[in-house]
């Protein structure tokens, strides 16, 4: 199986939400993604979408965006991002998903012979904007959710299948592994895809490649020039 990833689609969610307010490179970004997606990805490929799927506030407003993703080639697996306000609970989301889309939400699933698991992640202590009053509880909850996802993945992997982690927030801070990265490595995952970073200086400082046996991929769509990236067959 060929595996691809692209995060931060930021589809409009039924709103007039032009993304070029964040720079001219975002102009008509969904059309650019669709062209590059169709050029590369086949029907039986697997595409990982680690968060910030839609600007929709309610699930019914995300349906058009989910249908847009469903119409593209491949089987898709998504995790939640910090802007996915429409994603209220995985049960409600799974109840309305189109046929080609699955989600991981502090749990794991098996696709072909690859185990996928994930959660959103969060800002970490030491981040400039980390507020102990508001962020610490969410940070600790997301670590617990990652633990549950990894535990489920290890059961499905049975010691032989590769584990790929979807995480929206980067699991490194200034090139140093956060607790998220430490737990991903300890669980024996092969790869981790993440997004969330949207500035050139952040991309330059982002951790990619193999660290402690895990291959990390920055997959924010603008970092990839709106073109899905293929995961290295040799490490998953």
């Amino acid at each position: 199986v060929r595996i691809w990833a692209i995060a931060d689609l930021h589809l409009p969610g039924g709103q007039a939400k032009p993304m070029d307010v964040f720079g001219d490179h975002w102009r008509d970004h969904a059309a650019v993604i669709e062209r590059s997606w169709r050029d590369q990805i086949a029907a039986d490929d697997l595409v990982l979408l680690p968060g910030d799927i839609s600007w929709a506030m309610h699930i019914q407003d995300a349906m058009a965006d989910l249908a847009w993703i469903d119409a593209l080639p491949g089987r898709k697996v998504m995790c939640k991002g910090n802007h996915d306000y429409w994603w209220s609970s995985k049960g409600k989301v799974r109840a309305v998903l189109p046929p080609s889309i699955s989600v991981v939400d502090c749990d794991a699933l098996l696709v072909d012979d690859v185990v996928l698991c994930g959660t959103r992640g969060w800002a970490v202590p030491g981040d400039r904007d980390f507020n102990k009053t508001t962020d610490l509880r969410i940070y600790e909850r997301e670590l617990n959710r990652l633990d549950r996802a990894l535990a489920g993945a290890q059961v499905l992997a049975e010691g032989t299948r590769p584990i790929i982690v979807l995480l929206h927030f980067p699991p490194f801070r200034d090139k140093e592994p956060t607790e998220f990265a430490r737990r991903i490595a300890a669980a024996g995952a092969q790869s981790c895809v993440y997004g969330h970073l949207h500035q050139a200086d952040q991309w330059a400082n982002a951790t990619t490649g193999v660290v402690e046996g895990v291959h990390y991929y920055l997959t924010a769509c603008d970092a990839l020039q709106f073109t899905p990236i293929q995961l290295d067959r040799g490490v998953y």
Side-chain angles (χ1 to χ4, degrees):
V1 61
R2 293 194 307 169
I3 304 178
W4 307 79
I6 186 166
D8 301 276
L9 299 184
H10 285 295
L11 298 172
Q15 309 173 62
K17 197 81 178 179
M19 287 293 291
D20 55 10
V21 297
F22 300 108
D24 286 344
H25 59 297
W26 279 96
R27 192 178 307 280
D28 298 323
H29 79 287
V32 178
I33 291 170
E34 180 172 2
R35 280 196 303 272
S36 58
W37 186 312
R38 292 187 180 279
D39 283 347
Q40 298 183 92
I41 294 171
D44 58 350
D45 286 353
L46 179 60
V47 186
L48 311 180
L49 305 172
D52 280 5
I53 309 299
S54 171
W55 285 111
M57 298 299 292
H58 305 285
I59 198 162
Q60 62 267 27
D61 298 323
M63 294 306 295
D65 294 336
L66 294 174
W68 182 86
I69 294 168
D70 182 52
L72 293 170
R75 298 164 295 168
K76 303 94 183 179
V77 178
M78 308 187 311
C79 77
K80 188 177 186 177
N82 58 305
H83 289 296
D84 287 316
Y85 299 111
W86 58 276
W87 189 316
S88 55
S89 74
K90 59 186 172 186
K92 290 179 180 177
V93 171
R94 283 177 173 146
V96 300
L97 284 175
S100 72
I101 304 176
S102 303
V103 299
V104 286
D105 190 344
C106 60
D107 54 11
L109 60 86
L110 182 64
V111 179
D112 292 340
D113 216 31
V114 177
V115 178
L116 304 165
C117 70
T119 189
R120 178 183 57 188
W122 200 247
V124 300
D127 282 354
R128 185 184 59 205
D129 298 326
F130 190 89
N131 183 315
K132 191 172 182 179
T133 303
T134 56
D135 289 318
L136 184 61
R137 177 179 59 85
I138 303 172
Y139 163 74
E140 291 175 343
R141 185 180 68 198
E142 284 296 316
L143 283 174
N144 288 332
R145 290 183 173 193
L146 177 62
D147 285 343
R148 297 208 303 274
L150 291 168
Q154 288 173 316
V155 170
L156 292 175
E158 297 181 328
T160 59
R161 297 185 180 102
I163 297 172
I164 301 177
V165 180
L166 286 75
L167 195 70
H168 181 64
F169 281 79
F172 287 79
R173 178 179 173 273
D174 296 330
K175 301 286 189 181
E176 291 298 319
T178 67
E179 187 60 28
F180 290 100
R182 285 190 281 272
R183 295 186 188 194
I184 289 168
Q190 274 65 42
S191 299
C192 174
V193 295
Y194 68 92
H196 188 65
L197 303 180
H198 294 299
Q199 297 171 9
D201 61 333
Q202 294 176 324
W203 303 337
N205 197 42
T207 295
T208 59
V210 179
V211 180
E212 297 291 325
V214 184
H215 196 134
Y216 291 92
Y217 298 86
L218 169 61
T219 67
C221 68
D222 45 338
L224 302 179
Q225 298 181 307
F226 307 99
T227 299
I229 186 173
Q230 185 177 359
L231 274 59
D232 188 333
R233 288 175 180 269
V235 290
Y236 69 77

